[in-house]
Each structure stands twice: as structure tokens, then as C-alpha cells.
Amino acid sequence: MRRALKTLNDALPVFVLVLACAASAGCFAGENLQYRNDGQPIVVAHGNARAVGRLGFRYENGFGVPQNYVAAADLYRRAAEQGDAFAQSRLGLSYDKGHGVRQDFILAYKWLDLAAARASRRERDFYLRLRDAVASKLSRDGVTEGQRLALTWDAARTAERY
């Protein structure tokens, strides 16, 4: 019995490492490359929101795949709509910079506000700083509209669950 527990304790860190590597490689998000009518490649992915968001990060930065801002923004949107805070923040930054989407500071504010609301305590301050940096590019009405969009999205998502 002791030997079995020792073997299990020795194997556990290796198992955790393998699982982490697999997750970071997007193994939990099945992916397929397809093309839109305009010839722009898009990624068809399914899986949990966290994995899809991380796959978007790989496409945004060209980690193991060709860099493609349009595919990254599409993957971020899918994961963000499922409530993944990381994907929401990356989608907000995509709107802020106009990477893969039309530049829109109000939508950037919306997604960064949602990310801050869902983030862990450690990440929340970072997302709030990003949101506030985007807010500095908006008028008071623009910030109000971004907040309204975030509240409307959140209310609709809550209503879907119940």
C-alpha cells in the first residue's frame, strides 16, 4: 500500500505537467481551418471556452500556427460569449487595436468591463486598468454606452441560464 501511494505521489506532478501542456497546446479545442467567401481563413473550433480562448491567443501571436488576427478575434468572440474572462479581455484589446475586427472603443470597453467583472482578484486590477485606458479614449456618452452594452449582455446571459 505504501509503495502504491509513493508511486502515485511520484507520478502526480508528471500527470499535472502533461495535462497543462496539452491544455496550453489547444488539445481540448478541436480545430479545423476553413475559408470564408472572401478567402479569409477562419478556424472552426469547438471545446471548452478556456481552450478556445487560448487557441485564439496562439493565432493572435503565431504560436505554433500562422499568425491570423481575424481567426484570433473569431475564437476570442466564441469563448467570450461563453463567459471566459481571458477571451473577453483579449477580444476587448482586439477591438481597441483593430486587430482582426473593426476598431471600436465602445466594444473594447464593453468586453474589458465584462472581463474585469469575471476575473479573479489577481487579474481584476489588470483588466480594470486596461478598461480605464480605453475609457480615456471615449467621451462620457461612449463610456455610458459601453457600460450599457456590458449590462445588457450580462442580463441576457443570466436570463438564458434560468
Side-chain angles (χ1 to χ4, degrees), residues 4-137:
L5 286 175
K6 181 173 178 7
T7 303
L8 181 61
N9 285 339
D10 290 343
L12 192 58
V14 174
F15 176 72
V16 170
L17 180 62
V18 168
L19 189 59
C21 289
S24 69
C27 292
F28 298 133
E31 58 183 283
N32 238 339
L33 187 63
Q34 294 183 357
Y35 295 89
R36 295 190 324 199
N37 291 340
D38 62 1
Q40 188 68 251
I42 59 169
V43 178
V44 177
H46 56 284
N48 74 37
R50 185 166 194 244
V52 172
R54 298 317 184 268
L55 182 59
F57 187 78
R58 290 177 59 204
Y59 274 93
E60 180 182 10
N61 295 290
F63 294 144
V65 294
Q67 186 178 35
N68 185 330
Y69 290 132
V70 173
D74 184 52
L75 290 165
Y76 288 149
R77 179 176 293 108
R78 287 188 235 168
E81 289 172 353
Q82 294 180 48
D84 183 63
F86 172 78
Q88 289 172 337
S89 71
R90 300 306 301 180
L91 182 58
L93 291 174
S94 295
Y95 276 113
D96 180 46
K97 301 298 180 199
H99 287 176
V101 292
R102 177 182 47 84
Q103 189 176 40
D104 187 328
F105 297 129
I106 293 173
L107 288 176
Y109 184 94
K110 167 195 168 180
W111 288 112
L112 288 165
D113 195 39
L114 289 167
R118 284 168 179 66
S120 68
R121 178 182 238 182
R122 183 178 57 138
E123 296 169 324
R124 187 172 301 121
D125 290 337
F126 178 66
Y127 293 158
L128 287 172
R129 284 196 304 271
L130 292 174
R131 184 202 63 189
D132 292 345
V134 169
S136 71
K137 301 173 187 178

